[in-house]
Amino acid sequence: MENFPIQPIIAILLSAGIAIRSFRRKSLDLSGALAGFAVMTIHFAVGYRYGAMLLAFFLTSSKLTKYGEEKKRLIDADFKEGGQRNWIQVLFNSGISAVLALILWKLTGGQDKCLDSKESSLVTSLIGGMIGHYSCCNGDTWSSEIGILSDSQPRLITTFKVEEKDPVRKGTNGGVTKTGLLAAAAAGVVIGLTFFLIGFFTTKCASDVALKQLLVIPLSAVSGLCGSLIDSLLGATLQFSGFCSVRNKVVGKPGPTVRKISGLNILDNNGVNLVSILLTSVLTSIACLYIF
């Protein structure tokens, strides 16, 4: 790629600026800012579209995390001002995509490619995996941050029933609302639009292939919804949720003052995110091979 010597410099400067700003605004702690700088640099250095998808996820999710903080403070037992993420959360939410980006760089030499399985099924599947990755991340975050503020009663995804005697409390892992699910699909659309629009400036492909790229938008919407549902299903079954009578909040660990609501104490929130991202990435990757 002709501008290869310039692109890494742009990637470093842009990533450094965003990491510093995010640390100052308490979106990331120091470890999260350092990890964020590393993964964002990789994404932008390999391809502007990949960096743009990561940025779309991070900026919109960070904004929504801060929205309605006072209400969330009363509900969320793990509430942090500004929604500060650490290095573990950053890597669990972008590590897989960073690895996929490096593989793509090795295969394409840094040249941005359209989704076209006829040209390369491997490259198409890898790009599809990245689209699924950030559609899932964005979908899960939007669903959680908007859903928890919804006035509607959450339903546990394993039953979809509203229990009048013992209703599902907000903040319960695996609890879903219609508002949250719609938000997950909308979050996926944002990722798909970002990928498609940036592609106008970074890719060159035949007109029929270029037109077909529009299908990435509905695909991303489905991936965002699918990722959120997988995350909720894992949360309801493999992640512990209980109500603490002392704190009067839903908590993620058992204890003497905690009454179990749902889930086994196998995965924590980071583990649930990682598995749901992996599954959604694989499913979207396969879908791209059939669609494109």
Side-chain angles (χ1 to χ4, degrees), residues 14-26:
L14 182 61
S15 300
I18 294 170
I20 293 170
R21 180 177 181 273
S22 300
F23 175 68
R24 288 176 175 173
R25 287 177 172 265
K26 297 184 178 180

Side-chain angles (χ1 to χ4, degrees), residues 58-273:
F58 176 67
L59 293 180
T60 60
S61 295
S62 295
K63 193 72 175 178
L64 283 176
T65 298
K66 295 178 181 180
Y67 179 71
E69 279 192 335
E70 291 306 313
K71 188 173 182 179
K72 291 173 182 175
R73 191 190 303 271
L74 300 174
I75 300 171
D76 189 357
D78 297 319
F79 176 85
K80 293 180 181 179
E81 185 180 353
Q84 277 191 328
R85 268 80 171 176
N86 57 31
W87 70 273
I88 297 175
Q89 291 167 305
V90 170
L91 292 184
F92 271 62
N93 281 282
S94 57
I96 293 174
S97 184
V99 172
L100 294 178
L102 290 172
I103 297 173
L104 277 167
W105 174 77
K106 183 68 175 178
L107 292 173
T108 65
Q111 183 178 0
D112 202 355
K113 297 286 187 178
C114 290
L115 289 163
D116 185 6
S117 56
K118 291 181 180 179
E119 180 182 354
S120 174
S121 58
L122 179 56
V123 169
T124 297
S125 64
L126 290 171
I127 296 174
M130 294 186 71
I131 293 170
H133 183 290
Y134 286 115
S135 295
C136 176
C137 290
N138 217 31
D140 175 47
T141 305
W142 281 39
S143 178
S144 299
E145 300 297 341
I146 294 176
I148 199 170
L149 299 176
S150 171
D151 292 329
S152 58
Q153 174 62 45
R155 298 168 183 255
L156 201 61
I157 194 172
T158 49
T159 62
F160 279 103
K161 294 180 180 179
V162 176
E163 301 291 344
E164 295 183 2
K165 293 183 180 180
D166 191 16
V168 176
R169 296 178 181 272
K170 291 184 178 182
T172 301
N173 296 310
V176 297
T177 62
K178 290 181 181 179
T179 303
L181 294 177
L182 288 173
V189 168
V190 168
I191 298 300
L193 273 172
T194 301
F195 179 85
F196 176 75
L197 293 175
I198 300 298
F200 269 121
F201 305 98
T202 61
T203 60
K204 293 180 180 179
C205 49
S207 57
D208 59 327
V209 175
L211 185 61
K212 205 172 183 181
Q213 304 300 297
L214 276 168
L215 294 175
V216 80
I217 298 172
L219 174 61
S220 297
V222 173
S223 295
L225 178 59
C226 181
S228 179
L229 289 172
I230 292 173
D231 187 278
S232 295
L233 184 59
L234 290 170
T237 55
L238 300 180
Q239 185 178 6
F240 179 87
S241 287
F243 181 73
C244 178
S245 57
V246 175
R247 301 179 66 185
N248 200 33
K249 292 180 180 180
V250 174
V251 296
K253 293 181 180 180
T257 61
V258 176
R259 178 176 58 82
K260 181 179 177 180
I261 298 174
S262 63
L264 302 173
N265 192 25
I266 296 176
L267 295 175
D268 62 4
N269 196 55
N270 289 325
V272 167
N273 287 342

